[in-house]
Amino acid sequence: MAPSQENRAFATTRFVLVEPSHPGNVGAAARALKTMGFSQLVVVAPKIAFVTREPEAIAMASGADDVLAAAHVVETLADALSGVHWSIALTARTREYGPPQMPPRAAVAKAREMTQSSGDSGTLALVFGNERVGLSNADVERCSALAHIPANPAYSSLNLAQAVQVLAYELRLTLLAETEPQATSSSEHASASNDEIEGMYAHLEQALVALDFLDPANPKKLMSRLRRLFSRSGLEHEEVNILRGIAKHVLMRVKRN
Ligand code: SAH
């Protein structure tokens, strides 16, 4: 079954690129979003005005040209964050100032906590910097949290679109885990109750005695061992019925002989 994308955050989360220089990166970011089920791309003051229509951007977007074409181009980060409830600034370097820095998984978990508590309309934004200079301190300070992908300390700067991909993937995993169906409670796989299991042990014991496999005068540890075996298996209702059926037929056969 395809994973559920019912979570509204797939449709509302904004991926914001601040002043990107290379059209190819904007296209590749659109592709990264779409592969992870997202669609909101916002570009702040790109170096090339109509960057989303550049052939290189379209080529790198590949089948995500719809996400690229629908991208919003705005003038400032403030515009991009209008209506947003929680924003994460992505930075390749550690910062002296600004909000506390977290790895992406923790940052995404915190963001979900914060946007869900602001009602189901809480919009999240992930903010990425320019290829050469990254995000300015002013941009970072405008965001609610700071995240850093714990890359090779000697070479920690990822390509812009690849950083987008990592965050889109982490957010996807978090959102899918939130909507995962709970363990099935259908009667077919319902686990057996304690009473059912005790009834089964009594029945099984009678059958083993009837077979002369178990000597009631010298039972040793047989029933304890069987209890240990079955307790490891997580017995289901239907399985207990099968074991009781076997015990019943053993008893019928022994009686007949
Ligand atoms: N030379 C720039 C790096 C820019 S890379 C600098 O030192 O900031 C372009 C963007 O990709 C960054 O602004 C950031 O948003 C993202 N990025 C790249 N590597 C990252 C990392 N290790 N952790 C988090 N974001 C990263």
Side-chain angles (χ1 to χ4, degrees):
M1 201 179 68
S4 154
Q5 291 206 172
E6 280 163 25
N7 204 315
R8 260 177 53 81
F10 280 112
T12 61
T13 300
R14 289 182 208 169
F15 288 76
V16 180
L17 310 183
V18 179
E19 297 179 25
S21 301
H22 300 294
N25 279 337
V26 178
R31 183 176 186 169
L33 259 68
K34 188 167 176 177
T35 55
M36 297 296 116
F38 299 98
S39 58
Q40 301 289 323
L41 182 61
V42 182
V43 187
V44 179
K47 287 282 176 313
I48 298 173
F50 298 103
V51 66
T52 59
R53 296 188 221 152
E54 286 288 310
E56 208 188 319
I58 293 166
M60 289 302 279
S62 191
D65 45 353
D66 54 340
V67 171
L68 182 67
H72 293 278
V73 179
V74 298
E75 280 177 20
T76 66
L77 179 57
D79 295 334
L81 296 182
S82 134
V84 162
H85 294 81
W86 191 260
S87 52
I88 305 173
L90 272 295
T91 166
R93 292 169 279 147
T94 48
R95 305 277 175 151
E96 207 174 330
Y97 302 103
Q101 188 168 301
M102 285 180 270
R105 198 163 298 171
V108 159
K110 171 87 177 164
R112 287 302 290 161
E113 199 184 298
M114 300 311 290
T115 48
Q116 281 176 321
S117 66
S118 70
D120 64 2
S121 60
T123 301
L124 167 64
L126 302 173
V127 181
F128 301 84
N130 167 270
E131 292 90 336
R132 201 171 53 79
V133 297
L135 288 169
S136 69
N137 286 338
D139 286 344
V140 168
E141 282 161 23
R142 194 172 268 285
C143 294
S144 330
L146 194 53
H148 171 73
I149 300 163
N152 176 1
Y155 188 60
S156 67
S157 178
L158 279 75
N159 162 268
L160 170 58
Q162 290 173 351
V164 170
Q165 185 77 72
V166 170
L167 268 290
Y169 173 70
E170 284 293 344
L171 182 57
R172 179 177 179 78
L173 289 191
T174 298
L175 297 179
L176 293 182
E178 284 173 17
T179 50
E180 227 163 52
Q182 296 306 302
T184 173
S185 60
S186 77
S187 58
E188 198 191 337
H189 294 294
S191 57
S193 72
N194 198 58
D195 286 351
E196 284 175 324
I197 294 173
E198 286 307 319
M200 176 202 79
Y201 285 135
H203 211 158
L204 214 50
E205 191 169 0
Q206 278 176 36
L208 295 173
V209 170
L211 281 173
D212 291 332
F213 187 76
L214 175 60
D215 176 2
N218 185 21
K220 302 207 180 120
K221 292 256 181 263
L222 181 62
M223 289 314 294
S224 303
R225 294 231 172 248
L226 288 178
R227 279 176 180 272
R228 194 175 141 81
L229 165 66
F230 285 120
S231 68
R232 281 203 306 272
S233 73
L235 282 166
E236 292 174 2
H237 174 77
E238 275 307 316
E239 294 164 343
V240 164
N241 283 346
I242 292 168
L243 290 166
R244 290 198 72 153
I246 295 170
K248 181 176 158 191
H249 279 77
V250 166
L251 288 167
M252 284 183 342
R253 178 62 66 89
V254 169
K255 201 187 247 175
R256 220 187 304 149
N257 290 350

